[in-house]
Each structure stands twice: as C-alpha cells, then as structure tokens.
Amino acid sequence: TGASNTAVGSGAAGANTTASFGVAVGVQALNSNTTGASNTAVGHYALIHNTTASDNTALGKNALYTNTTGYENVYCCWSSDCG
C-alpha cells in the first residue's frame, strides 16, 4: 500500500491504493488517485480526476480538475472556475 501520504478533508485521497508521497488538502482533493505518486493537491477538488499520473502540483479550487494521466504539471488557480 501507499506510504508517506497526507490527506486532510472529506474524501481527500479517497481511492489511494499504492501511491506514495502524496499530499491532498481540501474536499475531494486527489480523490480518484490510485497509483500516481508524488502528487500535491491543495484546494477543493484539486486533481480530483487524477488516477495514475505522478509528479503533479495543483493549487487552488478545481486546479487540474480534468487531469487523469498527465504527469509533471504545475498549475496554480485562484478562481472558482479554472478547472
């Protein structure tokens, strides 16, 4: 199973199985992630659809909302509709 993860918020990192070194802060942040490692999602729904991609950083509500398998992305968003 995954190791060294931090999840704060309802549903944060909820589907994690083997991913390690992840940080999910916010309602359903990184919720669909199963095996993608070293992701950071801060904000409600940030990286919510990410499943297997690694090394992403998403900051802000809905940041990288549609990302599923894209890796090594950095996205900062401070608007409510910037998915």
Side-chain angles (χ1 to χ4, degrees), residues 1-6 13 16-24 30 33-40 51-56:
T1 60
S4 300
N5 293 298
T6 301
N16 188 61
T17 55
T18 61
S20 296
F21 309 110
V23 176
L30 209 56
N33 192 69
T34 55
T35 61
S38 300
N39 289 300
T40 300
T51 54
T52 59
S54 297
D55 303 307
N56 290 297

Side-chain angles (χ1 to χ4, degrees), residues 24-79:
V25 178
V27 173
Q28 294 191 20
L30 209 56
N31 180 263
S32 301
N33 192 69
T34 55
T35 61
S38 300
N39 289 300
T40 300
V42 178
H44 295 340
Y45 314 112
L47 276 171
I48 188 173
H49 295 293
N50 192 81
T51 54
T52 59
S54 297
D55 303 307
N56 290 297
T57 300
L59 305 173
K61 182 178 180 183
N62 296 326
L64 286 174
Y65 184 90
T66 59
N67 188 68
T68 55
T69 59
Y71 59 95
E72 297 178 353
N73 293 293
V74 176
Y75 191 81
C76 297
C77 173
W78 308 114
S79 173

